[in-house]
C-alpha cells in the first residue's frame, strides 16, 4: 500500500537524507533574518508613533522570538520532508497514487503547522480562519501551491540527477571496456603456462619458491578470469574471500617472519554475490601502509555474514613516518564510487584514521 511504502521510505530518509535538515534550517534562518530585518526597517520608520512603538515592543518580545524560532524549526522539518521524500519517490520512479498520498500527508502537516502557530501566537487570526471559510480557502490554496511548485522543482532535479548518473555509468562502462581491451593485449594463457612451467621447474629446488609461484598464478587467474561475472557485475563472495586469503599468503611468503596478519570469518557465505575487488582494495591498502612486523599487532581482517547484512573490516598499525609509503588515495576513492553506484543507501563505509592506526569497515545491508 502507498502509506506503508511511504512510512518505510521516511525511516530511510531520516537515516540517509539527500539534503540534511541542518542545511535547510540554516538557509531558512537566513531568509527569516532578512525578512525580519526588512520588516523592522520599514516599521521602525512609521510616522505614527503609537504604531511604531507597538511594533517595536512586539518584535523585541520573548513571545515573538519564540514564535520565529518555532516557525524556523517546524517549517525546516516540513521542507526537509518535502524535498527528501519527493526526491526519493522520483528517483524510485514511484507511481502517481504514492505521490498523491505523500502530497496529502505533507499538506496536512502544513495545515497543522500553520494553524498551530496561529492558535498559540495569533489567536485573532486563528478565529478568522475558523469563522471565515473563504479566508481558510485562501490559506489552503497557498499551501497547495507551495507544495506543488516544490514537487515540480524537486522532480526536475531528480530527473536531472538521474541523467547525470546514467552518463557517469556510461563513462564507467567505457573505462571498463578500455581496461578489458588492455587486458586482452596480454595473452593470459601464455602467462599462466609460463607460471606453471616455472612452478614445475622450481619444485625440486625450493618448496617455498614453488608455493609462491603457484599462489601468484592463482591470484592472477582470478584477476583475469571473468567467466563467473554476472550481468550485474557481481562475483561470488567465496571467490573474493579466497582471493584475499591467497593475497595474504603471498605476502607472508614475501616478508616471512616480518609479516603478520589474521583473517577471521563468521557466518555462512553461501551463494552471496558482491561487486569484485572491493574487499581486496581494503586489504591491499592495509598491507601497503601497515607495520605488520609485530605478532602482537597484526593486520586484522574480519568478515561477518548474517542474513541481514555483511560486515567486512580491516585494522592495522601504521608504519613509522620515515617508513611510510606515499598514498594517492585513488584506490579508496574509486572503491567509494563503485559502492555508491552499486549499493546506494544500502551500504555504509566507516573509516577511522588516526596517527597510529587505520580502521575501515564496510557494511552491506538488506541481503547485498
Amino acid at each position: 500500500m502507498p502509506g506503508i511504502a511511504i512510512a518505510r521510505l521516511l525511516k530511510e530518509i531520516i537515516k540517509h537524507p539527500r539534503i540534511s535538515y541542518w542545511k535547510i534550517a540554516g538557509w531558512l534562518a537566513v531568509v527569516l533574518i532578512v525578512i525580519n530585518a526588512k520588516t523592522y526597517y520599514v516599521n521602525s520608520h512609521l510616522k505614527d508613533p503609537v504604531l511604531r512603538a507597538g511594533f517595536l515592543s512586539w518584535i523585541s518580545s520573548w513571545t515573538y522570538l519564540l514564535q520565529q524560532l518555532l516557525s524556523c524549526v517546524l517549517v525546516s522539518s516540513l521542507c526537509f520532508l518535502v524535498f527528501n521524500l519527493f526526491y526519493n519517490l522520483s528517483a524510485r520512479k514511484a507511481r502517481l497514487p504514492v505521490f498523491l498520498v505523500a502530497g496529502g500527508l505533507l499538506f496536512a502537516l502544513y495545515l497543522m503547522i500553520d494553524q498551530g502557530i496561529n492558535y498559540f501566537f495569533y489567536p485573532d487570526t486563528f478565529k478568522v480562519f475558523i469563522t471565515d471559510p473563504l479566508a481558510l480557502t485562501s490559506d489552503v490554496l497557498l499551501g497547495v501551491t507551495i507544495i506543488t511548485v516544490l514537487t515540480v522543482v524537486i522532480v526536475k532535479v531528480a530527473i536531472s540527477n538521474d541523467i547525470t548518473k546514467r552518463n557517469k555509468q556510461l563513462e564507467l562502462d567505457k573505462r571498463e571496456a578500455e581496461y578489458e581491451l588492455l587486458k586482452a593485449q596480454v595473452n593470459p594463457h601464455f602467462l599462466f603456462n609460463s607460471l606453471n612451467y616455472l612452478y614445475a621447474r622450481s619444485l625440486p629446488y625450493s618448496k617455498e619458491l614453488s608455493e609462491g609461484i603457484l599462489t601468484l598464478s592463482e591470484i592472477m587467474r582470478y584477476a583475469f578470469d571473468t567467466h563467473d561475472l554476472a550481468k550485474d557485475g557481481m562475483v561470488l563472495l567465496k571467490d573474493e574471500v579466497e582471493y584475499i586469503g591467497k593475497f595474504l599468503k603471498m605476502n607472508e611468503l614475501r616478508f616471512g617472519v616480518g609479516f603478520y596478519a589474521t583473517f577471521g570469518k563468521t557466518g555462512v557465505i553461501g551463494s552471496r554475490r558482491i561487486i569484485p575487488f572491493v574487499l581486496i582494495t581494503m586489504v591491499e591498502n592495509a598491507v601497503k601502509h601497515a607495520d605488520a612486523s609485530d605478532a602482537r599487532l597484526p593486520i586484522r581482517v574480519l568478515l561477518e555474514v548474517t542474513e541481514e547484512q555483511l560486515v567486512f573490516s580491516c585494522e592495522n598499525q601504521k608504519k613509522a613516518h620515515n617508513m611510510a609509503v606515499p598514498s594517492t588515495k585513488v584506490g579508496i576513492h574509486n572503491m567509494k564510487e563503485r559502492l555508491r553506484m552499486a549499493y546506494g543507501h544500502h551500504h555504509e563505509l566507516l573509516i577511522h584514521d588516526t596517527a597510529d592506526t587505520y580502521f575501515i569497515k564496510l557494511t552491506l545491508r538488506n541481503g547485498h
Side-chain angles (χ1 to χ4, degrees):
M1 294 179 65
I4 297 176
I6 292 171
R8 292 176 180 173
L9 185 56
L10 285 174
K11 292 182 180 179
E12 185 176 334
I13 285 172
I14 293 173
K15 292 183 179 179
H16 307 284
R18 180 65 178 80
I19 182 171
S20 71
Y21 169 82
W22 297 112
K23 184 177 290 186
I24 293 175
W27 280 108
L28 186 59
V30 171
V31 172
L32 286 176
I33 290 172
V34 172
I35 292 174
N36 278 279
K38 182 177 180 181
T39 304
Y40 180 85
Y41 176 82
V42 172
N43 287 275
S44 62
H45 288 77
L46 290 173
K47 295 181 179 180
D48 190 331
V50 177
L51 291 177
R52 185 171 63 250
F55 168 77
L56 294 177
S57 176
W58 164 245
I59 200 171
S60 60
S61 66
W62 284 106
T63 304
Y64 180 82
L65 294 176
L66 179 60
Q67 180 264 319
Q68 290 292 296
L69 177 61
L70 189 61
S71 297
C72 183
V73 172
L74 295 177
V75 175
S76 296
S77 301
L78 179 61
C79 292
F80 171 83
L81 290 176
V82 169
F83 183 92
N84 287 287
L85 182 57
F86 281 120
Y87 184 93
N88 277 273
L89 290 176
S90 300
R92 294 165 184 254
K93 297 178 174 61
R95 296 183 177 181
L96 181 60
V98 180
F99 274 96
L100 293 177
V101 172
L105 293 173
L106 292 170
F107 176 70
L109 183 59
Y110 159 79
L111 282 181
M112 289 175 60
I113 293 173
D114 183 63
Q115 295 307 314
I117 291 175
N118 285 332
Y119 178 80
F120 288 104
F121 296 98
Y122 307 102
D124 293 335
T125 303
F126 179 77
K127 290 178 181 178
V128 171
F129 281 126
I130 296 300
T131 57
D132 186 0
L134 185 60
L136 184 60
T137 302
S138 64
D139 206 42
V140 169
L141 290 175
L142 176 62
V144 171
T145 302
I146 291 173
I147 293 179
T148 302
V149 171
L150 285 176
T151 302
V152 172
V153 172
I154 293 164
V155 169
K156 286 190 175 182
V157 170
I159 293 173
S160 176
N161 286 352
D162 186 54
I163 294 173
T164 302
K165 185 177 180 179
R166 287 202 300 268
N167 290 338
K168 287 184 178 179
Q169 183 61 48
L170 290 173
E171 181 65 24
L172 182 62
D173 292 342
K174 177 183 176 183
R175 291 181 181 179
E176 288 180 352
E178 291 173 349
Y179 175 65
E180 291 298 326
L181 180 61
L182 182 62
K183 287 199 305 183
Q185 294 175 357
V186 180
N187 191 326
H189 296 289
F190 171 78
L191 176 63
F192 297 140
N193 290 337
S194 299
L195 289 173
N196 288 335
Y197 169 76
L198 293 174
Y199 168 71
R201 293 287 296 180
S202 63
L203 272 173
Y205 302 101
S206 172
K207 180 180 178 180
E208 183 177 320
L209 175 61
S210 59
E211 186 178 5
I213 294 174
L214 180 61
T215 303
L216 176 61
S217 175
E218 291 172 343
I219 289 174
M220 298 191 71
R221 185 178 296 276
Y222 178 76
F224 277 104
D225 196 356
T226 59
H227 76 279
D228 195 41
L229 197 65
K231 291 182 179 179
D232 58 1
M234 304 231 176
V235 296
L236 289 170
L237 175 61
K238 69 179 184 66
D239 292 339
E240 191 83 357
V241 170
E242 289 178 6
Y243 181 36
I244 293 172
K246 290 170 183 175
F247 177 78
L248 292 174
K249 180 181 178 182
M250 189 69 193
N251 280 278
E252 289 175 359
L253 294 172
R254 175 186 175 190
F255 295 104
V257 294
F259 182 84
Y260 296 94
T262 62
F263 187 10
K265 299 177 284 290
T266 61
V268 179
I269 293 176
S271 59
R272 189 185 293 263
R273 305 183 77 86
I274 188 174
I275 57 175
F277 305 114
V278 168
L279 305 185
I280 189 61
T281 299
M282 298 161 62
V283 179
E284 287 177 339
N285 185 70
V287 171
K288 180 179 179 181
H289 300 287
D291 179 2
S293 59
D294 190 342
R296 297 170 299 176
L297 299 171
I299 297 173
R300 293 168 293 280
V301 184
L302 178 62
L303 173 66
E304 301 172 276
V305 181
T306 65
E307 292 183 1
E308 294 78 20
Q309 62 184 15
L310 177 154
V311 180
F312 185 82
S313 62
C314 191
E315 185 175 11
N316 62 269
Q317 294 292 122
K318 287 185 176 182
K319 292 179 180 179
H321 289 296
N322 59 340
M323 299 174 59
V325 179
S327 174
T328 60
K329 301 186 183 298
V330 172
I332 296 295
H333 174 74
N334 290 343
M335 181 190 72
K336 289 180 180 179
E337 287 298 306
R338 294 183 62 210
L339 286 169
R340 182 184 63 80
M341 295 185 69
Y343 300 107
H345 294 320
H346 295 289
H347 88 281
E348 181 180 359
L349 187 66
L350 177 67
I351 298 178
H352 285 311
D353 190 0
T354 68
D356 302 317
T357 62
Y358 186 87
F359 175 79
I360 183 169
K361 182 174 78 171
L362 171 65
T363 302
L364 301 179
R365 296 181 294 270
N366 299 333
H368 288 283

